[in-house]
Amino acid sequence: MRTFPSGVTHDIRYVSPFPIFVERALGSRKWDVDGNEYVDYVMGHGALFLGHAHPDITRAVVEQAGRGTHYGANHRLELEWGERVRELVPSAEEVRFTSSGTEATLMAVRLARAYTGRDKLLKFDHHFHGWQDYVAGVRAPESDSPRSPGIPDGTLANTISIPQNDLSLVEERLRDGEVAAVILEPTGASWGTLPLREEFLAGLRELTSRHNTVLIFDEVVTGFRVSPGGVQARYGITPDLTTLAKILAGGLPGGAVAGKADILSMLEFRDDAGWNAGMRVAHPGTFNANPLSAAAGSTMLQAVATGEHHRHADELNERLIAELNAVLERSGVSGSVYGLASYFHILIGKEAPRPSGGIEWPDDAGEPPRMSGAVTAALKRGMLNHCVDLMGGAGGFTSGVHTKEDIDLTVEAFEATVGEMRSEGVV
Ligand SMILES: Cc1ncc(COP(=O)(O)O)c(C=O)c1O
């Protein structure tokens, strides 16, 4: 029976010749219908910072489900959830919940346009902000970023995409005063696959302030992960707006736009019919801040606030990265494994420097080369055959519940997979 295009419900779950079919999951592990057990680094596409079915989150969701899943009204948990966001995220003077990260970036761009009265959006090549029209494509000659058909040319005309790390190019684009917002993944394209230079964020902050352009950090992946307060707390650079999802909602659906009260006030109702009808930004959304996501999200944010889970996840990630690089060294296969905090990226079959004395891509090494689709697919398949599930085949997330045993099993699986790829002539 054929129900789904290509048999999947999210692009990244497409695996040739076929994807795995999972029946249950607990902690850092998941089990498929054939009974195979996997060490999981997909971790709910980065949402499960406390692993699968964490007892505190499960309890909070089950208790809330018994009290109702949708009140169609304000409730205590949404307030608690929003206040936790404000406590942790430096830019979050006010918060608006959405149902996903894609909706959060859609709302952030709309707010920025309404606030500045400008139309253009500046983004960076290969930075991912969800699948909505304003960020999912640019006009063909302008960038080598992937693009999708089905987006009207008039929409694409307002999105400019340029290579990251080039401040003079940013300044050139901002100078004419037409750009409403600059949006970026603040550790670099595709959650740091192409890392940013250290001075880039500070330079962007300065340039966007000078040109009255709204600076949006898309912290859907990095928020609550690279530190309890995200990239902005870790590096001390505060954007005007922040988009959040994944860890935010504790493993259930949810997103948010947080930021300057002045900008979020575009959503406010006023005692002015003209403003309400034609000047305010409207924002319905049936499942915004629904009680189940609020229960899971608030429990998650309470748990991450101390930084204890970060210390554990980061330490294991550091160990994983060091040991995977040692496998490459021993096998004589070119490549590099690198990352930040609790995410890692694997690059094999291409000459690339390895991080020394840390996990970050070496600062002076330029941009890492990208793996071909065939190598990525072979790595994903090989690791699955050895019972490790990588995110998209080229990296993943450690969590507060991964263990040293998980890391040891992963290193063994990687050694075997790299050996097989080598003997098959893939690398
Ligand atoms: C940086 C970034 N922004 C936005 C999104 C979209 O979030 P969602 O999948 O919740 O729509 C993602 C999803 O992976 C993302 O990585």
Side-chain angles (χ1 to χ4, degrees):
M1 189 176 75
R2 185 191 158 103
T3 303
F4 306 124
S6 288
V8 292
T9 52
H10 187 301
D11 285 358
I12 212 166
R13 297 178 201 149
Y14 178 73
V15 181
S16 169
F18 50 82
I20 59 168
F21 202 96
V22 172
E23 208 164 44
R24 70 188 174 91
L26 185 67
S28 59
R29 306 289 177 99
K30 60 192 182 192
W31 290 263
D32 70 15
V33 282
D34 298 318
N36 296 308
E37 178 174 341
Y38 299 90
V39 179
D40 188 22
Y41 292 101
V42 183
M43 287 280 107
H45 297 207
L48 302 176
F49 193 59
L50 298 181
H52 294 280
H54 189 280
D56 293 346
I57 292 181
T58 304
R59 194 175 315 113
V61 170
V62 169
E63 274 174 17
Q64 183 54 44
R67 284 199 291 265
T69 60
H70 197 309
Y71 299 140
N74 292 356
H75 57 99
R76 182 185 59 78
L77 276 176
E78 70 178 5
L79 195 57
E80 188 180 297
W81 193 20
E83 282 174 0
R84 291 197 198 283
V85 174
R86 291 182 61 217
E87 278 160 24
L88 291 172
V89 180
S91 64
E93 292 172 15
E94 287 190 4
V95 180
R96 182 73 168 213
F97 287 110
T98 63
S99 290
S100 69
T102 297
E103 287 186 22
T105 62
L106 184 61
M107 176 47 74
V109 172
R110 185 169 303 167
L111 281 171
R113 286 176 165 153
Y115 181 75
T116 59
R118 304 171 181 173
D119 286 341
K120 299 253 187 266
L121 173 70
L122 181 62
K123 69 180 286 293
F124 298 95
D125 297 347
H126 304 291
H127 284 233
F128 181 67
H129 305 294
W131 56 269
Q132 48 105 344
D133 285 6
Y134 297 130
V135 294
V138 282
R139 282 196 291 195
E142 284 181 11
S143 143
D144 68 345
S145 272
R147 62 186 59 81
S148 167
I151 302 175
D153 209 48
T155 305
L156 296 180
N158 280 314
T159 303
I160 308 160
S161 186
I162 60 174
Q164 66 176 31
N165 284 331
D166 188 340
L167 287 171
S168 58
L169 213 49
V170 174
E171 173 143 47
E172 214 173 275
R173 295 303 189 142
L174 296 191
R175 208 176 289 140
D176 61 10
E178 289 183 1
V179 176
V182 175
I183 188 169
L184 81 160
E185 290 186 77
T187 63
S190 303
W191 43 293
T193 305
L194 306 177
L196 289 185
R197 290 216 187 90
E198 210 182 312
E199 69 282 6
F200 192 64
L201 287 184
L204 269 188
R205 179 62 287 181
E206 196 277 314
L207 283 174
T208 47
S209 298
R210 189 164 1 124
H211 293 280
N212 298 316
T213 297
V214 174
L215 178 60
I216 306 170
F217 277 10
D218 182 353
E219 296 230 45
V220 164
V221 172
T222 57
F224 314 107
R225 176 174 295 281
V226 304
S227 83
V231 170
Q232 52 201 277
R234 184 173 174 126
Y235 298 121
I237 295 169
T238 308
D240 302 306
L241 292 178
T242 302
T243 51
L244 299 161
K246 299 195 190 272
I247 294 174
L248 168 81
L252 266 71
V257 181
K260 280 194 171 145
D262 208 23
I263 304 179
L264 272 95
S265 74
M266 297 302 299
L267 291 158
E268 272 175 16
F269 289 96
R270 296 187 186 164
D271 293 333
D272 172 350
W275 165 269
N276 291 341
M279 293 164 80
R280 74 172 279 274
V281 171
H283 182 225
T286 301
F287 287 100
N288 295 348
N290 73 83
L292 288 189
S293 297
S298 189
T299 307
M300 173 70 92
L301 297 195
Q302 184 178 17
V304 304
T306 63
E308 206 176 300
H309 295 291
H310 293 83
R311 280 188 284 282
H312 176 84
D314 294 6
E315 196 184 304
L316 285 185
N317 195 39
E318 194 172 334
R319 184 181 170 129
L320 180 67
I321 286 175
E323 295 197 16
L324 296 185
N325 277 316
V327 169
L328 292 177
E329 193 77 43
R330 279 200 298 281
S331 320
V333 168
S334 58
S336 178
V337 186
Y338 59 96
L340 183 75
S342 52
Y343 68 68
F344 63 94
H345 296 291
I346 302 174
L347 177 71
I348 53 175
K350 300 229 171 183
E351 283 308 327
R354 294 177 186 136
S356 60
I359 62 172
E360 290 186 49
W361 179 255
D363 206 25
D364 53 357
E367 276 197 356
R370 295 168 77 84
M371 277 199 297
S372 74
V375 175
T376 309
L379 181 61
K380 170 91 181 178
R381 247 189 336 261
M383 292 296 275
L384 278 175
N385 285 336
H386 293 282
C387 291
V388 174
D389 197 13
L390 295 175
M391 173 80 175
F397 302 99
T398 55
S399 72
V401 299
H402 277 86
T403 62
K404 292 201 169 76
E405 192 199 346
D406 292 330
I407 304 301
D408 293 344
L409 288 172
T410 307
V411 173
E412 272 174 41
F414 188 62
E415 186 132 39
T417 302
V418 167
E420 286 156 12
M421 289 172 75
R422 209 174 172 189
S423 58
E424 287 160 14
V426 182
V427 288

